[in-house]
Amino acid sequence: MGAEYGRSGSSESKLSRWLRRRPKDAPGADADRLAQLLATAAAKLPLAPAAYPVGYRCSCDRVGCPTPARHPVSFAWQTQSTTDRAQIERWAQGQPEANFITATGMVHDVLDVPLEAGREALERLLAEGVDVGPVAESGGVGDQARMLFFTATRGTPEDEDEWWPCELDCHPETMDEHPGLRWHCRGSYVLVPPARLPGDHVVAWVRGPEHDLPDPLTLLESLTDACARHGAGDAHAVAWPLGR
């Protein structure tokens, strides 16, 4: 499956063509990486540098890192995240091995489900004619293999003190305790393609960032049903920002 899954060849967007266009000053894989990151930023998804794999370890200096190559490199990642093309080019060219995260809850949220459940739900949603936005697959073993559905954010309430931040996803060590559906909203992040993970796994687009972001509630029922059928545990045991 590629970034054009679920689209006809005649409906290719300008962003789709840009996604494949290589910057002249960055040959080969580096050019593909930069083009994908810039396309993601052009879709208004804010980016910041993340760790990368060194063998089966993480590039960070944390002993026994619980999420190797899956976390930002700076504690200031939320304020650092940007869609500025020049800054992203500097990061990508200055840190050629770095992965990138996108901060959720600003422009977009992400519904994160086990891979097989996600594939089933995606097929069902497309067959029903539901507008599905960008979708990525994140490789891994067991519960670490995930599918990421990018959606519009539910927004920020007028009284920010009443907002329930996505604490579950701020602490990825809880993955083993909550393997079902996870709603990344304010205070969370996910890796964006192209990203490399330990064990030769990758994060790659199934449907690219040129697709419009849907309301998360239009996908939620299909995703929770698929998680239940695939034995992903209690999909409702997460912080869901349903108030807006």
Side-chain angles (χ1 to χ4, degrees), residues 7-235:
R7 294 174 61 93
S8 64
S10 61
S11 61
E12 183 181 28
S13 67
K14 292 181 179 179
L15 188 54
S16 301
R17 295 192 292 271
W18 182 36
L19 189 63
R20 298 197 307 272
R21 192 176 67 210
R22 294 182 174 185
K24 296 180 180 179
D25 60 346
D30 288 343
D32 291 335
R33 169 176 174 261
L34 179 56
Q36 290 192 57
L37 293 172
L38 291 176
T40 302
K44 308 302 182 185
L45 308 186
L47 304 180
Y52 58 90
V54 178
Y56 283 87
R57 298 182 297 102
C58 185
S59 62
C60 73
D61 56 6
R62 183 176 179 181
V63 176
C65 175
T67 55
R70 295 177 182 267
H71 61 84
V73 294
S74 170
F75 289 115
W77 57 269
Q78 293 188 70
T79 55
Q80 185 184 52
S81 297
T82 184
T83 59
D84 181 71
R85 180 188 179 101
Q87 180 60 66
I88 292 167
E89 287 179 335
R90 285 193 292 270
W91 280 334
Q93 293 168 359
Q95 305 174 51
E97 295 184 272
N99 290 331
F100 279 77
I101 59 96
T102 180
T104 54
M106 298 179 183
V107 173
H108 68 297
D109 292 349
V110 172
L111 300 176
D112 168 356
V113 299
L115 181 59
E116 291 306 315
R119 287 175 172 172
E120 177 188 307
L122 177 59
E123 183 176 354
R124 173 183 170 185
L125 288 163
L126 293 176
E128 293 175 351
V130 176
D131 290 332
V132 180
V135 179
E137 287 190 0
S138 178
V141 177
D143 292 332
Q144 293 293 327
R146 313 288 292 181
M147 183 168 273
L148 310 175
F149 290 78
F150 290 71
T151 73
T153 185
R154 292 293 290 166
T156 303
E158 294 181 5
D159 184 353
E160 294 194 6
D161 291 337
E162 294 182 0
W163 184 252
W164 190 343
C166 199
E167 286 293 331
L168 173 63
D169 300 310
C170 290
H171 304 286
E173 295 92 327
T174 63
M175 171 66 81
D176 291 340
E177 301 170 19
H178 301 279
L181 188 150
R182 311 170 82 218
W183 190 324
H184 298 265
C185 55
R186 185 179 177 189
S188 189
Y189 58 84
V190 297
L191 287 176
V192 294
R196 298 179 300 113
L197 302 171
D200 295 326
H201 298 294
V202 299
V203 181
W205 289 116
V206 176
R207 289 166 54 87
E210 70 275 12
H211 294 272
D212 293 336
L213 296 170
D215 187 312
L217 299 185
T218 64
L219 311 182
L220 190 58
E221 182 177 358
S222 292
L223 293 176
T224 54
D225 286 351
C227 285
R229 283 193 294 274
H230 284 264
D234 183 4

